[in-house]
Amino acid sequence: MPDWLTGTVTANRQWTERLFSLRFSAPMDSFKAGQFVRIALDIDGDTVARPYSLVNAPGESEFEIFFNIVDEGPLTPRLALMKPGDTIRVADRPYGFLTIDEVPESRHLWMIATGTGVGPFISIMKSGDAWRRFEKVVLVYSVRTATELAYQDEIAKAQTLHDEQLSFLPLVTREPLEGAINMRVTAAIESGELEKQAGITMNAQDSHVMMCGNSAMIADVTELLKSRDMRKHLRREPGHITTEIYH
């Protein structure tokens, strides 16, 4: 069980009716870009906690999480109502292995996200490790509607700083959007459109794929990549696919 620290909310940004970013300060240990932390509230006499990836880069003075409201969940509807000055509980240390230092040597890094799963990849792009290690970094960000494409300022800044390295591929599945691919991640891979837009292929020789988001997407893409002789990465057996499953 974690030791709980007191965090103080500093900002609450509402992106859409159901998408929010919560910023907070807390005396938490340092973390690696891509890791997550457990956030909790005391609800009806119980401590209700859930894991959330950190969006901010290591070294920033405040922490940030990106979440969507789960109607039947006890925690997210309350987090969405929080105001600056409110307090939350924060686990005393971060967790997770969706980090660049866990990725074996590769030329190209693919980061595939659905919905709020983009959070850890924003953190990775804001830190320097990926740009030092990989020739090409591809961010695939799939949402249902254009309004759900959050953190566009941060992505645009990364494109400005790393134009030769970064390919940003937004996928919007339920409506057409100029500049976006109008299909699901699996369909974009099967059709070849994702690789066509990126200008590189996804292969076992020089690619590593990190995924975060919908568990069905992660399972389906993993199966597709198996047909390309790509396998899950383990410390004892280096591979090509890294995922974070904490729910």
Side-chain angles (χ1 to χ4, degrees):
M1 294 295 291
D3 291 328
W4 293 108
L5 308 171
T6 298
T8 302
V9 174
T10 59
N12 188 348
R13 177 171 183 176
Q14 183 173 4
W15 298 91
T16 69
E17 182 181 355
R18 311 187 68 79
L19 286 174
F20 293 80
S21 294
L22 198 69
R23 292 188 69 88
F24 59 92
S25 59
M28 189 175 65
D29 289 346
S30 60
F31 74 100
K32 298 175 183 178
Q35 289 189 309
F36 65 89
V37 68
R38 295 184 70 80
I39 303 293
L41 293 174
D42 291 327
I43 300 173
D44 298 328
D46 293 322
T47 299
V48 179
R50 297 289 186 272
Y52 297 96
S53 294
L54 291 163
V55 181
N56 57 289
E60 291 187 19
S61 59
E62 295 179 343
F63 302 97
E64 182 170 344
I65 58 172
F66 182 38
F67 66 94
N68 65 289
I69 293 178
V70 180
D71 288 331
E72 65 273 18
L75 189 60
T76 53
R78 290 172 169 83
L79 290 177
L81 295 174
M82 305 214 79
K83 299 180 177 65
D86 290 343
T87 59
I88 57 176
R89 291 194 177 200
V90 183
D92 62 337
R93 60 180 64 88
Y95 303 88
F97 301 98
L98 195 73
T99 59
I100 294 301
D101 64 341
E102 293 288 337
V103 176
E105 289 302 315
S106 303
R107 291 179 59 205
H108 305 146
L109 176 67
W110 292 77
M111 302 186 296
I112 302 177
T114 55
T116 57
V118 77
F121 299 141
I122 298 296
S123 180
I124 287 172
M125 289 196 303
K126 292 171 73 174
S127 62
D129 292 345
W131 312 115
R132 288 189 289 267
R133 283 198 51 190
F134 303 101
E135 294 178 22
K136 191 80 170 182
V137 176
V138 183
L139 174 63
V140 179
Y141 183 9
S142 178
V143 296
R144 295 169 299 178
T145 64
T147 58
E148 296 175 333
L149 285 170
Y151 293 101
Q152 293 304 290
D153 288 347
E154 286 80 359
I155 294 170
K157 183 177 180 179
Q159 286 186 301
T160 299
L161 293 173
H162 308 284
D163 182 57
E164 295 297 320
Q165 287 176 277
L166 176 62
S167 288
F168 171 48
L169 306 180
L171 278 66
V172 180
T173 61
R174 294 190 181 179
E175 62 183 21
L177 176 67
E178 185 177 357
I181 301 172
N182 184 218
M183 60 180 73
R184 295 180 181 274
V185 174
T186 47
I189 293 174
E190 290 177 309
S191 68
E193 185 65 22
L194 206 64
E195 291 160 294
K196 177 183 176 182
Q197 293 284 345
I200 57 173
T201 60
M202 201 181 300
N203 59 68
Q205 288 70 46
D206 54 23
S207 303
H208 193 89
V209 180
M210 303 176 85
M211 288 185 280
C212 188
N214 182 278
S215 58
M217 178 278 290
I218 292 175
D220 291 345
V221 172
T222 298
E223 284 302 310
L224 286 176
L225 297 183
K226 284 182 180 179
S227 67
R228 304 184 183 201
D229 296 323
M230 300 176 76
R231 62 181 182 274
K232 289 185 178 181
H233 172 65
L234 302 171
R235 283 181 171 177
R236 65 179 181 275
E237 187 179 356
H240 319 89
I241 305 166
T242 301
T243 63
E244 188 70 86
I245 300 176
Y246 50 64
H247 51 75

